[in-house]
Amino acid sequence: MLQNHLVVMARAPRLGTVKRRLARDLGAAAALRFYRSHTGGLLRRLSSDPRWRLWLAVTPDSAVRDGRGLWSFDGTLVAQGGGDLGRRMARLFEDLPPGPLVLVGSDIPGIRRDHIATAFRALGANDWVFGPAADGGYWLVGARRRPRIVTPFGGVRWSNAATLNDTLANLTGCDVAFVETLRDVDTASDLDALIR
């Protein structure tokens, strides 16, 4: 039986480099506090589950070498590598060990273990699974990765209302499932909506 792999993509928590749109509204220090706290909580919630192996994929790659200021978690730290978001995601799908793989971002406060388990179950009968985001993107993408992997991230307009549709257009002929729609936190209004 192949092992399930859960990848959390994150940016190393450095002042001025994380949650930039949120920082415009709240200030860089408050955005960093939110990001550190939320990502740490996410890793604690997801890393101790025996149903998957957790990978934390960070950027910049130098953060993997020095490990300075990163979160403690039960899993494996890897570098995202270079390129745009699509190339970095594709690399993870292509390079990590065999088995179903689900990838999530680190800025979605609502992620729970049952969301991840549902996504892995969906891959039992589907080639791909997506967790749509309220803004037109997606907070989760997963692939069965057998018999082969074709990554659908080329030509996608990232951080755009068309992101999910662009990705789906690259998956013609594949069986695709969807899990719950969640909201990410990019701005102060997103944070307000979450609190409400």
Side-chain angles (χ1 to χ4, degrees), residues 148-188:
R148 62 188 178 87
I149 182 72
V150 175
T151 54
F153 308 119
V156 172
R157 293 169 282 178
W158 299 107
S159 301
N160 185 295
T163 299
L164 177 58
N165 288 333
D166 286 353
T167 307
L168 292 173
N170 292 330
L171 289 173
T172 303
C174 293
D175 294 321
V176 177
F178 298 91
V179 296
E180 187 177 342
T181 299
L182 296 179
R183 176 183 290 275
D184 57 358
V185 174
D186 290 323
T187 65

Side-chain angles (χ1 to χ4, degrees), residues 1-4 93 98-101 120-128 142-150 174-175:
M1 182 118 157
L2 293 172
Q3 183 173 32
N4 291 330
F93 278 97
L101 187 147
F120 279 120
R121 276 194 304 275
L123 289 174
N126 296 279
D127 301 310
W128 287 86
R144 186 170 33 190
R145 301 196 304 162
R146 63 179 199 274
R148 62 188 178 87
I149 182 72
V150 175
C174 293
D175 294 321

Side-chain angles (χ1 to χ4, degrees):
M1 182 118 157
L2 293 172
Q3 183 173 32
N4 291 330
H5 300 280
L6 172 62
V7 178
V8 176
M9 289 187 79
R11 184 169 287 280
R14 310 278 192 268
L15 187 67
T17 66
V18 297
K19 305 308 299 170
R20 291 181 188 140
R21 286 191 285 170
L22 184 62
R24 277 184 244 145
D25 296 335
L26 302 180
L32 177 61
R33 277 193 304 275
F34 168 80
Y35 183 73
R36 281 193 66 77
S37 172
H38 167 68
T39 303
L42 177 70
L43 291 169
R44 282 189 299 278
R45 281 194 311 277
L46 299 179
S47 68
S48 61
D49 199 301
R51 294 174 287 183
W52 51 75
R53 177 178 178 185
L54 183 77
W55 302 79
L56 175 60
V58 296
T59 188
D61 293 356
S62 60
V64 173
R65 289 187 295 276
D66 68 27
R68 184 175 46 87
L70 294 178
W71 304 270
S72 60
F73 68 101
D74 184 16
T76 305
L77 183 65
V78 295
Q80 290 182 19
D84 71 1
L85 178 60
R87 181 62 204 124
R88 290 179 281 136
M89 289 171 36
R91 186 177 296 112
L92 293 163
F93 278 97
E94 293 162 357
D95 292 351
L96 290 183
L101 187 147
V102 167
L103 185 150
V104 298
S106 60
D107 60 350
I108 302 90
I111 298 176
R112 299 184 314 264
R113 287 184 196 184
D114 63 306
H115 290 126
I116 305 303
T118 299
F120 279 120
R121 276 194 304 275
L123 289 174
N126 296 279
D127 301 310
W128 287 86
V129 62
F130 288 87
D135 63 5
Y138 43 92
W139 62 271
L140 176 147
V141 57
R144 186 170 33 190
R145 301 196 304 162
R146 63 179 199 274
R148 62 188 178 87
I149 182 72
V150 175
T151 54
F153 308 119
V156 172
R157 293 169 282 178
W158 299 107
S159 301
N160 185 295
T163 299
L164 177 58
N165 288 333
D166 286 353
T167 307
L168 292 173
N170 292 330
L171 289 173
T172 303
C174 293
D175 294 321
V176 177
F178 298 91
V179 296
E180 187 177 342
T181 299
L182 296 179
R183 176 183 290 275
D184 57 358
V185 174
D186 290 323
T187 65
S189 62
D190 294 335
L191 190 54
D192 289 342
L194 177 71
I195 293 168
R196 275 187 261 114

